[in-house]
Amino acid sequence: MTKPIAVLGAGLAGLTAAAELKRRGLPAVVFEAGRSVGGMAASFKDAEGFSYDYGAHFISNRLARALGAEGICRTVRHYGEAVHLGGRSRSHPFGLMAEPRFLAGALRSRIAPRARGPAANAEDWMRRSYGDAMAEEVAMPLVEAWSGAPARDLSSSIGEKFAHGVLKSLYLSAAAKVTRRAVCNGYTRTMPEGAGVYHVYPEGGLARLLEPTLRSLDGALRLESPVERILVDRGRVVAVRSAGAEIPVSAVVSTAPVHVLPRLVEGSDALKPMAAFRYRPMIFVNLRFSGRAILPDTMVWVPDRSQLSFRLTEAPISMPWLAPEGKTLVTFDIGCEVGDERWTMGDEELAKRCLDQLCALYGEELRGRYLGAGGTIRTPISYPVYLNAYETERKRFALSTGVEGLYSVGRNGEFAHILMEDVFWRTIRRMQDVERYVAGPGAPGAVVDGSMSAFRLDGASLSQPA
């Protein structure tokens, strides 16, 4: 094969795809629009020694090992979540289930289900899964703040995002106490979770996870080289256009948000429905404080629609090295829409309102420990929004892009509620399909379009890079 495979984007999914293609003996070129690699797997440190992550804080030891970065990672000893409700915080999930109304509602939903057949929407799914009280007071307010849409307008498929059942969660929580490690609980659906899969964090920040992968690519990366068009002829990818030049390719692996793909593809309308897909914009505000344990645990969910932020995270509770000794950092997640009041609000005002919320939840004395804002991050594309209006198209896209030789990977590229480890393993698996496609229709097991073949969720059939 003389024509390379074009990979769009140099984040975790794009670099993983290129490295796996190379391992399989297939030439790949990574086109990255920006000046650096990593995408959302990025961190920065300020002059005072506070570290900030742009993407996920938590990585499993299994993912670090697969990326060849286990040697630079520290073990995370503790991780926990709480829900602030009715003026006090309760541990999640077991502190919530100690509330009689939540427990009774959950039991009723199991013993006497209200309806048979699939749930009509996310609200219906939550009421069936948690009972009315938990759905109305906790689940629905959080999902609506996170997605920006009423639960009744969201697909029941949103349930795929949520954690394990009670028994599995109980086992993983017990394993964490016994092993004194932050055992992963609900961080992957592609691979099994157990006592030996726990959270770690790379020395020097998230981007260091990708250094071994980047080194393996040996010059296959083009920075500041956005792909302007994906050229399709008779339903098949034939070339990409970058910097005005047309480059013949045998296939394209895209990590671009799916609603961007219709604008990139030239010569086919197969992806036109994707233009309607929505991502939730988010604002992340970081505040610095003296002392530690501002929050009752690492992450606190706030299902109060009147509050600015629906999720507060104090990462130094789990990873003390992210803040100078005797100090801490609290991150506020704020759902918004591009151009609305929250999006256009100044950084100082956002910091003030976040501090007001924190003091209202945990006491006015926190103002005396406040050390100032640590920076605000705005991202117009954060979480995929599973609207019922395009659920049929979303499921169709999950099976195939509709264009031969075009594959879409990564959280934005798959339009899926998946975290870093799922992104990695699903991308590895998808490259098997790419290999079969470029081998031609006569090759054993060849795939004739951009579809994703089935794979076992226990991970037994997934390959791991050398």
Side-chain angles (χ1 to χ4, degrees):
M1 185 184 64
T2 57
K3 293 185 290 185
I5 298 165
V7 178
L8 279 57
L12 171 64
L15 295 180
T16 297
E20 178 66 7
L21 290 170
K22 180 181 178 182
R23 189 185 74 85
R24 293 172 180 272
L26 303 174
V29 178
V30 182
F31 295 86
E32 167 57 45
R35 297 181 178 181
S36 60
V37 304
M40 292 189 71
S43 309
F44 61 94
K45 194 170 188 176
D46 68 17
E48 297 183 34
F50 290 89
S51 295
Y52 309 90
D53 285 347
Y54 185 73
H57 286 288
F58 300 101
I59 302 101
S60 76
N61 62 317
R62 178 170 54 198
L63 174 60
R65 186 184 312 120
L67 289 169
E70 188 176 31
I72 64 166
C73 289
R74 301 187 187 189
T75 297
V76 177
R77 297 296 176 186
H78 168 79
Y79 171 76
E81 298 183 16
V83 176
H84 191 91
L85 189 67
R88 67 186 183 91
S89 295
R90 301 160 175 82
S91 66
H92 178 270
F94 303 112
L96 283 174
M97 296 311 296
E99 293 289 328
R101 67 185 186 283
F102 292 154
L103 180 59
L107 291 174
R108 281 196 299 270
S109 71
R110 297 296 180 184
I111 296 170
R114 67 180 71 233
R116 299 187 181 276
N121 51 44
E123 178 180 349
D124 188 20
W125 182 87
M126 290 174 189
R127 290 184 184 278
R128 295 188 191 192
S129 300
Y130 307 132
D132 289 338
M134 180 83 78
E136 292 171 4
E137 296 182 46
V138 180
M140 286 166 55
L142 289 175
V143 165
E144 290 174 354
W146 160 71
S147 66
R152 64 179 176 276
D153 292 344
L154 296 170
S155 164
S156 60
S157 297
I158 203 170
E160 298 167 3
K161 169 183 170 57
F162 293 94
H164 302 294
V166 172
L167 290 179
K168 185 63 178 288
S169 292
L170 181 60
Y171 156 68
L172 294 172
S173 297
K177 291 184 181 299
V178 171
T179 63
R180 296 183 180 179
R181 296 185 300 218
V183 172
C184 297
N185 189 350
Y187 278 79
T188 175
R189 293 292 180 272
T190 308
M191 298 289 277
E193 290 184 327
V197 183
Y198 52 88
H199 293 296
V200 298
Y201 190 87
E203 296 274 6
L206 289 174
R208 293 206 62 201
L209 285 171
L210 301 178
E211 288 178 358
T213 306
L214 187 60
R215 287 194 297 269
S216 75
L217 293 180
D218 191 27
L221 173 66
R222 300 185 184 182
L223 296 175
E224 298 183 87
S225 301
V227 167
E228 298 144 6
R229 288 289 185 273
I230 300 169
L231 305 179
V232 176
D233 182 32
R234 287 173 287 187
R236 180 187 293 265
V237 167
V238 294
V240 297
R241 187 179 301 134
S242 179
E246 202 166 291
I247 305 164
V249 298
S250 59
V252 169
V253 178
S254 172
T255 67
V258 298
H259 66 338
V260 172
L261 276 179
R263 300 199 300 269
L264 291 178
V265 172
E266 183 178 303
S268 173
D269 291 330
L271 288 123
K272 188 176 180 180
M274 304 299 107
F277 283 31
R278 282 177 45 192
Y279 292 84
R280 177 64 159 165
M282 296 290 296
I283 303 171
F284 303 98
V285 179
N286 297 289
L287 301 186
R288 299 172 297 187
F289 294 86
S290 61
R292 290 277 167 93
I294 298 288
L295 303 181
D297 219 322
T298 311
M299 185 179 293
V300 175
W301 299 93
V302 185
D304 181 345
R305 292 181 174 90
S306 68
Q307 296 289 348
L308 181 67
S309 172
F310 67 91
R311 179 169 62 184
L312 284 60
T313 305
E314 189 177 353
I317 289 179
S318 291
M319 295 165 288
W321 53 84
L322 294 181
E325 187 174 353
K327 298 179 182 178
T328 195
L329 183 72
V330 179
T331 302
F332 297 74
D333 294 21
I334 303 170
C336 59
E337 297 298 329
V338 174
D340 70 9
E341 179 187 4
R342 292 179 174 182
W343 183 266
T344 58
M345 190 179 296
D347 290 358
E348 288 187 12
E349 180 61 22
L350 278 171
K352 176 183 178 301
R353 292 185 60 181
C354 287
L355 179 60
D356 289 344
Q357 175 179 347
L358 187 67
C359 291
L361 297 180
Y362 295 111
E364 284 294 322
E365 64 274 10
L366 293 177
R367 294 188 191 276
R369 296 169 59 182
Y370 180 51
L371 300 176
T376 298
I377 298 170
R378 292 172 172 82
T379 173
I381 298 174
S382 191
Y383 304 114
V385 181
Y386 281 12
L387 289 178
N388 255 334
Y390 47 66
E391 178 65 359
T392 300
E393 291 295 340
R394 186 191 70 81
K395 289 181 176 179
R396 183 179 295 120
F397 179 77
L399 297 175
S400 171
T401 65
V403 174
E404 293 184 27
L406 175 60
Y407 300 81
S408 198
V409 299
R411 186 174 73 178
N412 289 339
E414 290 193 45
F415 197 77
H417 297 304
I418 53 178
L419 299 177
M420 291 180 73
E421 187 165 4
D422 279 339
V423 167
F424 176 82
W425 293 111
R426 289 165 70 107
T427 299
I428 293 288
R429 184 63 182 88
R430 184 68 64 92
M431 295 310 103
Q432 294 181 21
D433 291 345
V434 178
E435 180 182 35
R436 293 176 185 133
Y437 171 77
V438 299
V447 177
V448 296
D449 62 9
S451 66
M452 176 174 161
S453 61
F455 59 89
R456 289 172 54 184
L457 293 182
D458 63 3
S461 65
L462 299 181
S463 62
Q464 182 169 317

